[in-house]
Amino acid sequence: MSKPDWTQAFRLEATELLETLEGALLDLCERPDDRDLVDSAFRALHTIKGSGAMFGFERVAAFTHEFETAFDKVRKGEISPTRELITVALSAKDYIRSLIESPDGTDAIIGDAILDDLRKFVAPAEPHEASAVPPPSAPPVAAAAAAESGAAAVGWRLHLEFESHILRNGSNPLNFLDDLSKLGPCFAVALTDEIPLLDALDPEECYLKWDVTLHSDCSREVIDDIFMFVIDEMVLSVTPLAQSELPAADQHPTTAPDVNVSTAPTAPSRSPASHSPPSISSPSEPRRDEQKRGDDRATATVRVQARRLDEMMDRVGELVIAQARLSQLAATSSDPSVKLIAEEIERLAGSLRDTTMGARMVPIGSVFGRFRRLVHDLSLELSKPVDLVTSGEDTELDKTMIECLADPLVHLIRNAIDHGIEATAARAAAGKTEKGRIELHAVHSGAQVLVTVRDNGAGLNTARIRAKAEEQGLIAPGAELPDADIHQFMFHPGFSTAQTISALSGRGVGMDVVKRTIETMRGSIDLSTRPGEGTTVTLRLPLTLAIIEGLLIRVGDARYIIPLSAVEECVELTAEDQRARGRHFLNIRGDLVPYLMLRDILQSTVSPDTYQKTIIVSTGETRVGLVADQIIGNHQTVIKSLSKLHSDVTIFSGATILGDGTAALILDVAQLVGLAQAHADKHHLNEAA
């Protein structure tokens, strides 16, 4: 059995922590007084530092320690988290990521420059020390005050019991004792009564407990912060020292010594005070309740490699195909037991398919969170204050769809900020708010997910788009086209209305990439705009790319699959419609719908059936009829990608294997709708001529 890759485990954990850190920093831009956000950022830094040191990422630990030391000023309320400070902190977060992903390829000079910028904000007059630990000659404030006034110092008595596996998790109890000693004079007694005989001793188990006396005026919260990351793995009892236990001022040390650890050989040597019940209960105590543990087990999660989920999905797909073949054989069998077994396997295969697909579903919020940083950086770069508002983060998509969706959304958001949102002066002249607004919304709609990007900018400049299209020869000068068709030229390769080429725009590749990527995902794009009010782009995406429900049809001798999510209804092609084939339009309850004869497109040489059927499909607001010889019925479709040899065949999005072992091609509805639209436009031009 292969050993686990602990460095990879650290990288995965660090990625989540860095996302938490980035989210907290961006939220601090809007809520600088939110103490919980500051604590969240600090906890993420502290965990990255500790884990980095444990797994051998020394540069990560050293840099994060400096970052944490600087940010501690914010935590203590000594400085405010201004936007300028947050910008530098975000750069520091990016540097930590680069140190983790490419330790040898990251320039240390960049890290030093970032730390210098941090120090300018948080400690301009202080020397650049590598450690935040006060020098030994500096006594605690309370101790110095007590020594001068003759009053008694304040303090705490602690009892520490760590779970036996604490060492395996990379935590060292002595480090926590060392942290306590930094708060003031600290005296610790190790309790050794539970240490087993040598032959039974496990070197990876922690058998010691500690009684600690701490002379410090610190608050209980400061002590809790030291143990915040192991509080679920220990019992912590904290009680104030009794007045009689407090040292007199003339006996109080004038320096803060290192922790003194003495060993108690047996349990009876413990002082009676150590057995007294604590007057202040630790937050860890209710967490150790058995009922709580049961709840944790019920909601526990396991990290699984994406490759294994993909392999499982492939196996489920093969099972679905085998089950379809079994059902077809059972339908021709006269043995009722065979039919019963086939039905049972069909039920189990369906349940396994749904469970496996559910395991691959990921909340779309995991990709939405990335764009907060993008908007923050572009807002600063273009000097356009912009707010990003997200909703529907809990909407789930297949993880493959999530991975493919990131780049199109980046292009749409960049376009919205660069081209859509006006400059501050222009917004003021138009009577708009100073800040622009971009809304990112996701919602389930039947078997699809709709992802909407909406801005409150100036809207699309239809005249400029038309002029650019005429300049590139995409349309004839003066040709009459509806605005919606003119706007579609934005998705043409190499099309851009930018006046100059910049780092953000001008080369005409962004929206073309968006369209090609969305169509590869079997999705479609709707675009609407209102001059002076903004633009809305809606992406219509299927829930998954692995297994879909399809409509099985026959054209000639061949069978094809149409994704069921695109099918609206099925009607019969009448003799009157066939006589009017030159018009290529159907009258569907008063609406004219263009249609395509699939046998013509697929070049079928078999005689057509007497009664042909029309399947009405739609993408966005466009409806098209597809004429086939027969509608066979619903089919659970396992999508198989076509080979590179078929890359030039655009009307098919993949293939599947039917129950009898033969293959059926899956029709690409978006391409067919575009083809029908082109035929309809040609018909309009011929009539106009």
Side-chain angles (χ1 to χ4, degrees), residues 13-93:
E13 179 188 15
T15 298
E16 297 176 358
L17 291 168
L18 289 172
E19 290 176 357
T20 300
L21 174 61
E22 182 174 279
L25 292 174
L26 292 173
D27 285 337
L28 279 172
C29 290
E30 307 299 328
R31 306 195 301 276
D33 298 328
D34 193 325
R35 174 72 182 184
D36 290 339
L37 292 176
V38 175
D39 290 342
S40 176
F42 197 83
R43 282 194 297 270
L45 282 173
H46 195 72
T47 305
I48 292 172
K49 180 184 75 172
S51 299
M54 181 172 64
F55 289 107
F57 289 79
E58 299 297 339
R59 291 181 64 190
V60 172
F63 181 86
T64 308
H65 174 73
E66 294 276 4
F67 186 0
E68 181 186 39
T69 300
F71 203 75
D72 192 44
K73 298 283 186 180
V74 178
R75 184 170 177 253
K76 293 177 179 177
E78 297 177 11
I79 61 172
S80 176
T82 61
R83 282 186 173 269
E84 293 76 13
L85 173 58
I86 295 301
T87 299
V88 178
L90 287 169
S91 299
K93 187 232 78 172

Side-chain angles (χ1 to χ4, degrees), residues 115-304:
L115 290 177
D116 286 341
D117 289 340
L118 274 174
R119 293 178 184 122
K120 292 175 185 177
F121 281 103
V122 300
E126 294 179 3
H128 300 165
E129 296 291 343
S131 174
V133 180
S137 59
V141 176
E148 293 177 2
S149 63
V154 296
W156 301 91
R157 180 176 296 282
L158 297 82
H159 178 66
L160 314 179
E161 292 185 20
F162 296 93
E163 291 188 355
S164 60
H165 63 262
I166 191 79
L167 300 177
R168 292 193 180 96
N169 294 344
S171 299
N172 186 347
L174 295 181
N175 291 339
F176 299 112
L177 295 175
D178 185 56
D179 289 340
L180 286 173
S181 72
K182 296 170 185 176
L183 302 178
C186 180
F187 305 93
V189 177
L191 309 177
T192 61
D193 51 296
E194 293 188 5
I195 297 180
L197 297 176
L198 187 60
D199 58 350
L201 189 143
D202 184 346
E204 295 185 352
E205 295 282 323
C206 177
Y207 302 103
L208 293 175
K209 303 175 184 177
W210 283 268
D211 282 337
V212 181
T213 302
L214 173 65
H215 297 284
S216 171
D217 66 340
C218 67
S219 66
R220 169 63 190 275
E221 287 73 18
V222 173
I223 296 175
D224 287 340
D225 285 347
I226 291 176
F227 301 97
M228 68 170 67
F229 300 114
V230 293
I231 198 68
D232 290 331
E233 300 174 287
M234 68 176 299
V235 173
L236 172 64
S237 298
V238 183
T239 58
L241 284 176
Q243 190 68 26
S244 60
E245 296 177 293
L246 298 177
D250 57 355
Q251 296 174 328
H252 201 288
T254 58
T255 62
D258 292 336
V259 59
N260 298 320
V261 180
S262 59
T263 302
T266 59
S269 65
R270 294 165 62 177
S271 64
S274 67
H275 294 281
S276 59
S279 60
I280 302 179
S281 60
S282 166
S284 67
E285 293 171 4
R287 294 182 187 178
R288 310 191 66 80
D289 183 84
E290 291 302 320
Q291 180 64 35
K292 175 64 176 176
R293 287 179 177 271
D295 293 343
D296 290 343
R297 285 193 296 268
T299 58
T301 58
V302 177
R303 192 189 301 274
V304 179

Side-chain angles (χ1 to χ4, degrees), residues 94-108:
D94 292 340
Y95 186 76
I96 294 174
R97 184 186 295 276
S98 65
L99 283 176
I100 294 173
E101 294 176 350
S102 180
D104 299 329
T106 305
D107 193 344

Side-chain angles (χ1 to χ4, degrees), residues 443-450 540:
V443 65
H444 281 291
S445 177
Q448 292 182 317
V449 170
L450 307 185
R540 297 177 178 270

